[in-house]
């Protein structure tokens, strides 16, 4: 019999999740993501309306401020306090994050001041942010190969998009500005169900790995990104891809809303990616798995996704019939998202950083940076060019920049690969 010590207990708490639990983990996270995302996407489509209806001042400023509070919190809040989150084991941390979002969203109809509305949205966003950070780190720790990780991340993407396709229908059917409790009740049930189905598949007594410093991403890791070309290429290609990804929900959404009179066509175009991801993600993941078995790296796969993002933008700048161009752009964008979303998490999880928590903190920072800059460009520069009649110039220029930048990064990686044996 070996004697237990505090150091040994601490090491056991930080050990990776045991491989035999991978099957149950995959099922639990898929079901939890489906229910939790259904709750999220049932309230997000009407969140602005709810804020306007519940604001004591009745002004519209609270809508923009409130949505910003939620978006910023959901994007980065957990990353900023990752050192505290890693003190909790996965089961209570993930269940607590889900339930925190449920409570915060559930209290929105009862808030009586604008600052309380914003505070609740920050808490709701923190729960979403913490849950997704925990789940990505757990997958990175429990599954040690890139193909296995990408399969699970792809499965979760299907669950998210299935909920994203169904949630707006629930929102429109149940929401009433005078009586939002019916919708809030459904949201609460969804989050409670998410916590229940998740717990049986989570490891017990296992914590996320510690980061290497006080900050979410240490200076040592930042120095390595600056000095190790392979890491730097992965970071750059992911930011370029996220910038392109953000165009669909900023510039393209504005383009569709102003160019097409048919509400049905607008809905089809904007909801298209969610539908195609549910239908085709499994097949696309199988193709990606075959590519990786034949030697393709996560960086190379991300580069392929970026090329598809570039092609989707190019279809909007070529001057083809607007409906045909928009439909083709949605189809190509959907395939790009099916490749890029799961592989982004897979690529960062595989970086030689040591701590999966720190690697995925880096992923979240880079994703938020690319998405914020992409949304800013799509919501400001494209709108200005579109209003002058130069919208095609925006799409063509951005497509060329995306294609050329990605091509140069891939060329650099091939040269480095050929030089390795000689070195």
């Amino acid at each position: 019999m070996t004697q237990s010590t505090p150091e040994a207990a601490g090491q056991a708490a930080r050990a990776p999740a045991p491989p035999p639990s991978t099957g149950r983990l995959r099922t639990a996270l898929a079901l939890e993501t489906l229910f939790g995302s259904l709750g999220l996407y049932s309230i997000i489509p009407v969140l602005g309306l709810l804020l306007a209806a519940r604001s004591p001042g009745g002004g519209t400023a609270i809508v923009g401020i409130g949505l910003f509070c939620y978006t910023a919190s959901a994007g980065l809040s957990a990353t900023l306090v990752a050192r505290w989150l890693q003190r909790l084991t996965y089961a209570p941390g993930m269940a607590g994050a889900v339930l925190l979002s449920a409570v915060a969203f559930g209290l929105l109809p009862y808030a009586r001041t604008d600052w309380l509305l914003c505070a609740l949205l920050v808490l709701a966003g923190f729960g979403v942010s913490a849950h997704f950070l925990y789940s990505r780190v757990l997958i990175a720790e429990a599954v040690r190969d890139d193909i296995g990780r990408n399969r699970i991340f792809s499965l979760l993407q299907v669950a998210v998009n299935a909920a994203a396709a169904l949630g707006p229908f629930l929102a429109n059917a149940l929401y009433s500005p005078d009586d939002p409790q019916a919708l809030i009740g459904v949201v609460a049930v969804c989050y409670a169900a998410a916590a229940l189905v998740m717990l049986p598949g989570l490891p017990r007594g296992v914590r996320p790995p510690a980061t290497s410093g006080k900050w979410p991403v240490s200076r040592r890791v930042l120095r390595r990104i600056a000095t190790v070309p392979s890491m730097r290429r992965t970071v750059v290609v992911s930011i370029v891809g996220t910038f392109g990804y953000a165009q669909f929900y900023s510039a393209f959404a504005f383009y569709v809303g102003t160019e097409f009179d048919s509400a049905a066509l607008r809905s089809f175009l904007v909801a298209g990616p969610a539908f195609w991801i549910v239908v085709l993600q499994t097949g696309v993941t199988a193709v990606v798995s075959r590519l990786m078995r034949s030697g393709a790296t996560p960086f190379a796969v991300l580069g392929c996704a970026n090329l598809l993002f570039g092609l989707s933008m190019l279809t909007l700048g070529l001057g083809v019939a607007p409906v045909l161009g928009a439909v083709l752009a949605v189809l190509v964008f959907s395939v790009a998202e099916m490749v890029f979303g799961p592989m982004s998490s897979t690529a960062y999880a595989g970086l030689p950083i040591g701590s999966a928590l720190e690697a995925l903190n880096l992923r979240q920072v880079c994703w938020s940076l690319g998405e914020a800059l992409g949304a800013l460009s799509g919501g400001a520069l494209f709108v200005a060019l579109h209003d002058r009649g130069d919208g095609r110039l925006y799409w063509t220029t951005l497509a060329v920049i995306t294609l050329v930048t990605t091509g140069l990064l891939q060329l650099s990686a091939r040269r480095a690969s050929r030089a390795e044996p000689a070195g």
Side-chain angles (χ1 to χ4, degrees):
M1 179 182 295
T2 58
Q3 185 176 4
S4 175
T5 65
E7 291 79 6
Q11 291 174 354
R14 292 189 296 271
S21 67
T22 300
R24 284 193 304 158
L25 173 66
R26 180 173 57 246
T27 301
L29 289 181
L31 290 173
E32 180 274 331
T33 300
L34 178 63
F35 284 116
S37 297
L38 184 58
L40 178 63
Y41 287 106
S42 294
I43 192 171
I44 287 298
V46 296
L47 183 56
L49 298 175
L50 189 150
L51 290 174
R54 309 314 293 182
S55 172
T60 57
I62 184 60
V63 176
I65 296 172
L67 292 178
F68 172 82
C69 287
Y70 170 78
T71 303
S73 180
L76 285 175
S77 60
T79 298
L80 297 177
V81 296
R83 288 188 68 232
W84 292 316
L85 292 180
Q86 67 94 24
R87 298 174 185 175
L88 293 175
T89 58
Y90 286 108
M94 293 177 69
V98 169
L99 295 176
L100 176 62
S101 293
V103 171
F105 279 134
L107 290 176
L108 285 176
Y110 307 101
R112 294 290 181 262
T113 61
D114 287 347
W115 72 264
L116 185 53
L117 285 169
C118 291
L120 289 172
L121 289 173
V122 169
L123 289 177
F126 176 75
V128 171
S129 180
H131 161 259
F132 279 111
L133 181 61
Y134 272 126
S135 61
R136 291 189 188 106
V137 173
L138 179 54
I139 291 168
E141 288 288 287
V143 184
R144 289 300 178 175
D145 65 287
D146 287 334
I147 294 176
R149 287 169 176 167
N150 190 62
R151 283 175 174 167
I152 297 182
F153 287 129
S154 297
L155 180 62
L156 300 190
Q157 178 151 293
V158 172
V160 168
N161 282 275
L166 180 58
F169 291 98
L170 287 176
N172 290 324
L174 297 175
Y175 176 71
S176 167
D178 298 322
D179 185 21
Q181 281 77 9
L183 175 61
I184 293 300
V186 170
V187 171
V189 169
C190 287
Y191 275 110
L196 288 175
V197 299
M198 168 175 48
L199 289 174
L202 298 184
R204 296 296 188 267
V206 181
R207 295 177 186 155
T211 57
S212 61
K214 295 181 179 181
W215 296 96
V217 180
S218 67
R219 284 178 292 180
R220 181 180 64 84
V221 169
L222 295 177
R223 282 196 299 268
R224 292 196 66 197
I225 293 169
T227 57
V228 179
S230 61
M231 294 179 68
R232 185 169 62 248
R233 283 192 292 266
T234 297
V235 168
V236 173
V237 82
S238 73
I239 293 175
V240 171
T242 309
F243 187 98
Y245 166 83
Q247 301 308 308
F248 185 87
Y249 300 101
S250 55
F252 184 75
F254 178 84
Y255 171 76
V256 168
T258 55
E259 291 296 320
F260 302 107
D261 295 328
S262 169
L265 178 59
R266 293 197 300 266
S267 299
F268 169 77
L269 291 172
V270 174
F275 171 79
W276 290 117
I277 286 171
V278 172
V279 174
L280 299 177
Q281 179 73 66
T282 301
V284 171
T285 301
V287 173
V288 170
S289 296
R290 283 198 293 270
L291 289 174
M292 295 183 73
R293 287 193 197 97
S294 66
T297 63
F299 165 80
V301 177
L302 282 178
C304 291
N306 283 9
L307 295 177
L308 290 173
F309 280 134
L311 289 175
S312 72
M313 290 181 276
L314 194 60
T315 62
L316 296 168
L318 289 178
V320 299
V323 173
L324 177 60
V327 170
L328 289 175
V330 167
L331 290 174
V332 178
F333 176 91
S334 299
V335 177
E337 186 179 355
M338 290 179 226
V339 177
F340 185 82
M343 189 53 63
S344 177
S345 297
T346 302
Y348 278 93
L351 288 178
I353 288 178
S355 166
L357 177 60
E358 191 165 359
L360 289 159
N361 281 340
L362 175 64
R363 180 248 184 222
Q364 196 60 25
V365 170
C366 294
W367 183 285
S368 298
L369 174 63
E371 191 170 32
L373 292 176
L376 176 63
S377 175
L381 182 56
F382 173 75
V383 172
L385 289 172
H386 179 272
D387 289 346
R388 290 172 42 190
D390 294 327
R392 283 173 51 194
L393 176 63
Y394 179 85
W395 294 119
T396 303
T397 303
L398 197 57
V400 170
I401 292 173
T402 302
L403 294 172
V404 171
T405 302
T406 302
L408 291 175
L409 288 169
Q410 290 182 320
L411 181 61
S412 173
R414 289 194 190 98
R415 288 175 175 170
S417 178
R418 293 193 200 104
E420 279 179 3

